[in-house]
Amino acid sequence: MRVVLAKSAGFCFGVSRAVGLTENAAGPGVWALGHVIHNADVVNSLCAKGMKMAEKEEEIPSGATAVIRAHGERPEVLERLRARGVTIVDTTCPCVSRIHGIAEREFGLGRRVLVVGTRNHPEARAISARAGNAPVIESPEEMDMLAGKGFFEGVLGVSMVAQTTADRTIWKKCVNSLKKLCTNPQIFDTICSATQTRQSEAAELAERADVMIVIGDRMSTNSVRLRDICAERCRTYFVSGWDELRPFLPEIAGMKPELIGITAGASTPAGIIEEVNNNMTNETEIIGGGEVLEPTLEAEERLEAAVDAEVESAESEAETFAEMVDKSMKTLHTGQRVKGIVTRVTGSEIQMDLGTKHAGFIPVSELSDDPGVKPDDIAKVGDELEVFVTKVNDAEGYAMLSKKRVDAAKGWDSIDSAKEDRAILEGTVVEINKGGVVASVNGVRVFIPASHTGVAKDKPLDHLLKTKVMLRITEINRAKRRVIGSIRYASEDMRKAAQQKIWESVEVGNVYEGTVKSLTSFGAFIDIGGADGMAHITELSWNRLKHPSEAVSVGDTVTARVIALDREKKKISLSLKNENDNPWTKFTESCKVGDIVEAKIVKLVEFGAFAQILPGVDGLIHISQLADRRVVKPADVVAEGDVVSVKIIDINTDKQKISLSIRAAMEEAEPDYDEE
């Protein structure tokens, strides 16, 4: 039996942020308006620090501190609390705050707003309140009911948002219904990416599992949603922790499951998930034994809540409550360059902890000028990045950031230095235009004229798009923010450097990996890493060749051996022949003078014929040795391609020449007769 823990189980970024802010603020005189998150264990641990719970705003004394939960709160409630001198610690999830902004804007434009979610959920109520108490619908059928009441008539337009934990399937159905009921609706898919990830992972795991265990509080909408998703696919147990699961172990054992999957809602602490997972791991031998997979949940995510609590406890003597509050309330300003720690990486953004009350977000468009870059190519959880603040929203508690602007600022310095030093830089081609191409180099856009791309005139440049290129900076105009570069100059510089390096070390006998650059009738020119060498046709193969193309083609990668050098004229002679394959050696080891062998006529000349004994080894049959009679023309007795029996009558090892005779072979084949 295997136990598999879903990768994204447990706290999401918004919940982790909310719990962290509340832990920093928790103490006497602090009240939480409703459950900070929907998890009783977390709420109880916060109350143990002296924080009190209030179900209604009236329960919070004037002048106290109120923690606003991650789900957000209605604006009129916040206004009344501030009017009574209550200090607000807003832990509203940045994703929820974004929905608040959308709802307020669309309502302010005179449009009617719809909210897809759970009607009595605090997050849905808070969103609704920001759009004139917009209706919250739980199914597309309710949208039809609204249509019957004239909701879509006589309005400027309709906009629709979703609760962050809304069911994706229901959302899609509502979108389709809205498109049928009104024209040009504004649709904002605001379902949290963390919610989508958890739901898709839970569905995939439940498809494979025999039993699913969903850990979460029954008040948590996203946990209940995970339960429903899993229950549609396999036997599912919805528990708040290990104590609730323990009584079901005999029942689970009776099913003899091969795979047990575990997932948890976004408001479930890492400690509870670990307790269930570790105990299930220990129980596997009782249930059925077998292989247990290690959980795939990232260490930073699994232990985040526990580590935060330990750090707070360890530093409580060194950092007072007032200091912690002051730290959490530090402000940011647009245009600042700040450093932060990466807390989460998704397909569309990087989230950062900036050491302030703000949640930092770097959109994928602000990561790099390279259009093909992915967030996880830039950073991992725990990395420190320097970023540029492009927008600050103190009310909603988030800051929009840019990494590529910092890179560009640093890039200008590197560009200046590179021009002075004639250094070669690497860039990525990000744009093709009529005059040439544009490459991003350290965040700076560099224009490369077509004549300097290295591409032949009138040839298309499209194949360069999104490729890495080496270039040299030729012109900089900071005032106009214009930089011009050259791939051609860089290639020439690199080739000269490579040539110099080759000539500093090249010796007869050196072996290089090379590329065939061109062919002529007498041989091939080969690039051996910056310098060109020439391999004569006789050095391309042990076989007799009529043209170099019979052995190599332009673009081939070959192993070349240096056989001669002329340093004064900068000429290198190469050979592609491998001595281990030398056919002459094979011939001398297997044949000797006097042997009769089969040979193939390969060439006729005026004074005889050449015959191949082995591939690469030819011998000459003199015209006088072609037959046992006088021969006027070799063609009268043999033709190219004929296979004949010949006798080896001489071997000149020094000159590697062989003399053959058909006549001698014929005479040796004649039968002996006695005198009678």
Side-chain angles (χ1 to χ4, degrees):
M1 186 200 73
R2 299 190 301 160
V3 177
V4 178
L5 179 62
K7 181 178 180 180
S8 300
F11 277 4
C12 67
F13 175 81
V15 170
S16 178
R17 172 179 174 274
V19 172
L21 290 173
T22 306
E23 284 180 336
N24 287 338
V30 178
W31 294 71
L33 182 54
H35 289 72
V36 176
I37 63 171
H38 281 153
N39 188 279
D41 291 291
V42 173
V43 173
N44 291 337
S45 68
L46 294 171
C47 290
K49 295 185 176 184
M51 185 181 74
K52 295 182 179 180
M53 294 294 300
E55 293 300 325
K56 298 179 181 179
E57 61 180 284
E58 295 82 7
E59 297 174 27
I60 301 176
S62 297
T65 297
V67 176
I68 304 303
R69 54 192 162 194
H71 304 112
E73 188 55 85
R74 290 168 294 166
E76 59 268 25
V77 173
L78 300 177
E79 291 171 4
R80 288 194 292 266
L81 287 172
R82 291 191 179 99
R84 293 196 291 114
V86 174
T87 300
I88 302 295
V89 177
D90 191 357
T91 73
T92 304
C93 172
C95 295
V96 176
S97 295
R98 174 174 169 267
I99 305 173
H100 291 172
I102 294 172
E104 289 173 344
R105 184 188 70 232
E106 296 300 299
F107 183 71
L109 293 173
R111 302 173 66 87
R112 287 189 176 174
V113 178
L114 281 172
V115 182
V116 177
T118 303
R119 190 170 294 107
N120 294 321
H121 194 283
E123 179 185 328
R125 292 202 302 265
I127 297 170
S128 171
R130 283 169 168 78
N133 294 319
V136 179
I137 59 173
E138 299 181 345
S139 68
E141 288 76 16
E142 293 182 20
M143 193 178 297
D144 294 333
M145 294 172 59
L146 288 173
K149 296 178 180 179
F151 179 83
F152 301 102
E153 298 174 5
V155 295
L156 293 176
V158 177
S159 301
M160 187 166 70
V161 297
Q163 183 179 326
T164 56
T165 55
D167 184 281
R168 170 63 59 183
T169 302
I170 293 176
W171 166 257
K172 289 181 179 179
K173 291 180 179 178
C174 289
V175 169
N176 292 333
S177 294
L178 181 60
K179 289 179 178 179
K180 295 176 182 178
L181 292 170
C182 65
T183 57
N184 300 321
Q186 294 295 315
I187 298 171
F188 301 91
D189 185 351
T190 52
I191 298 177
C192 177
S193 60
T195 298
Q196 297 181 49
T197 300
R198 280 166 175 74
Q199 291 180 1
S200 61
E201 285 182 2
E204 189 275 335
L205 185 54
E207 291 285 355
R208 297 187 291 120
D210 302 298
V211 171
M212 281 295 296
I213 298 169
V214 179
I215 312 168
D217 195 291
R218 285 165 177 77
M219 293 177 61
S220 169
T221 300
N222 73 82
S223 297
V224 172
R225 196 80 65 196
L226 292 177
R227 177 204 64 188
D228 295 341
I229 289 171
C230 295
E232 292 175 358
R233 292 164 173 81
C234 69
R235 176 67 173 174
T236 299
Y237 294 86
F238 186 33
V239 296
S240 62
W242 174 245
D243 290 338
E244 278 193 22
L245 179 62
R246 193 197 305 270
F248 294 107
L249 290 179
E251 181 179 327
I252 296 174
M255 300 179 190
K256 298 181 179 180
E258 293 183 3
L259 176 62
I260 295 178
I262 301 177
T263 189
S267 54
T268 305
I272 294 177
I273 299 171
E274 284 195 322
E275 181 183 23
V276 172
N277 185 67
N278 291 339
N279 281 314
M280 284 302 296
T281 300
N282 295 332
E283 289 289 336
T284 50
E285 294 194 9
I286 300 174
I287 295 176
E291 178 188 6
V292 180
L293 294 185
E294 288 294 326
T296 58
L297 190 63
E298 295 292 332
E300 293 86 356
E301 295 176 346
R302 295 203 312 262
L303 300 177
E304 184 178 358
V307 170
D308 286 346
E310 290 176 9
V311 171
E312 180 180 339
S313 176
E315 297 181 349
S316 59
E317 296 181 2
E319 186 174 32
T320 66
F321 171 75
E323 289 171 338
M324 288 188 289
V325 172
D326 180 65
K327 181 179 178 181
S328 70
M329 297 300 287
K330 284 192 300 185
T331 59
L332 291 175
H333 301 286
T334 300
Q336 275 185 285
R337 281 172 63 166
V338 297
K339 291 183 178 180
I341 303 299
V342 175
T343 57
R344 191 174 180 209
V345 179
T346 71
S348 59
E349 66 187 8
I350 289 178
Q351 299 175 358
M352 297 184 65
D353 178 1
L354 302 173
T356 70
K357 67 178 182 179
H358 305 87
F361 295 87
I362 312 176
V364 67
S365 60
E366 290 295 325
L367 287 175
S368 170
D369 275 331
D370 183 351
V373 77
K374 297 179 180 178
D376 54 11
D377 295 333
I378 299 292
K380 307 296 181 197
V381 172
D383 287 354
E384 182 181 68
L385 297 179
E386 185 176 10
V387 292
F388 183 90
V389 181
T390 60
K391 180 182 179 182
V392 178
N393 191 317
D394 290 320
E396 297 181 3
Y398 72 86
M400 302 307 294
L401 312 170
S402 172
K403 181 178 179 297
K404 72 178 184 181
R405 294 198 191 185
V406 173
D407 293 341
K410 294 178 179 178
W412 276 101
D413 295 334
S414 66
I415 290 289
D416 283 333
S417 299
K419 183 179 184 301
E420 292 296 323
D421 300 337
R422 294 174 62 91
I424 306 300
L425 300 175
E426 182 182 75
T428 302
V429 177
V430 296
E431 182 182 320
I432 308 292
N433 56 46
K434 291 182 179 180
V437 302
V438 176
S440 174
V441 181
N442 297 332
V444 178
R445 289 169 62 86
V446 179
F447 174 69
I448 304 167
S451 59
H452 282 262
T453 60
V455 178
K457 187 178 180 181
D458 298 328
K459 295 293 184 181
L461 304 174
D462 295 345
H463 67 282
L464 292 176
L465 188 62
K466 297 184 180 180
T467 62
K468 301 284 186 182
V469 295
M470 307 304 294
L471 55 90
R472 178 155 65 83
I473 304 302
T474 59
E475 182 183 331
I476 297 176
N477 188 325
R478 279 240 185 188
K480 296 182 178 180
R481 299 186 66 80
R482 183 178 66 188
V483 183
I484 298 176
S486 171
I487 296 174
R488 180 160 60 85
Y489 286 172
S491 298
E492 292 172 357
D493 289 352
M494 290 189 293
R495 185 164 184 80
K496 289 177 182 177
Q499 284 179 344
Q500 182 177 351
K501 186 176 180 180
I502 286 287
W503 281 105
E504 287 174 354
S505 61
V506 67
E507 298 290 347
V508 172
N510 286 6
V511 176
Y512 298 93
E513 287 293 317
T515 303
V516 178
K517 290 185 63 179
S518 63
L519 301 179
T520 67
S521 60
F522 54 85
F525 285 94
I526 299 169
D527 181 351
I528 57 173
D532 287 350
M534 203 279 286
H536 191 268
I537 187 170
T538 58
E539 293 296 334
L540 293 175
S541 172
W542 291 107
N543 295 326
R544 187 186 299 274
L545 303 176
K546 294 182 179 180
H547 192 273
S549 60
E550 297 177 21
V552 293
S553 300
V554 173
D556 285 354
T557 299
V558 296
T559 300
R561 178 168 50 88
V562 179
I563 58 175
L565 288 172
D566 187 335
R567 294 184 182 277
E568 185 176 339
K569 295 182 179 180
K570 298 293 184 183
K571 290 185 178 181
I572 302 174
S573 296
L574 304 172
S575 175
L576 305 190
K577 293 180 178 179
N578 187 333
E579 283 299 324
N580 294 329
D581 299 328
N582 191 336
W584 181 263
T585 302
K586 295 179 181 179
F587 167 75
T588 57
E589 290 176 350
S590 60
C591 300
K592 61 183 183 299
V593 174
D595 288 352
I596 295 177
V597 296
E598 296 293 310
K600 181 181 179 181
I601 305 297
V602 293
K603 186 177 182 181
L604 299 181
V605 293
E606 185 178 346
F607 52 85
F610 286 96
Q612 183 186 78
I613 303 171
L614 296 173
V617 179
D618 295 347
L620 173 64
I621 309 172
H622 191 270
I623 191 170
S624 62
Q625 298 297 322
L626 285 173
D628 56 358
R629 65 184 186 277
R630 184 174 181 276
V631 177
V632 178
K633 294 180 181 179
D636 293 339
V637 290
V638 292
E640 289 186 11
D642 288 352
V643 176
V644 297
S645 292
V646 295
K647 184 175 182 178
I648 301 173
I649 58 177
D650 185 54
I651 299 176
N652 188 327
T653 304
D654 293 336
K655 296 182 178 180
Q656 293 190 357
K657 290 185 177 181
I658 306 167
S659 296
L660 305 173
S661 174
I662 295 176
R663 186 177 70 180
M666 293 172 62
E667 290 174 352
E668 190 143 332
E670 291 179 358
D672 291 333
Y673 294 98
D674 57 24
E675 291 181 358
E676 293 182 359

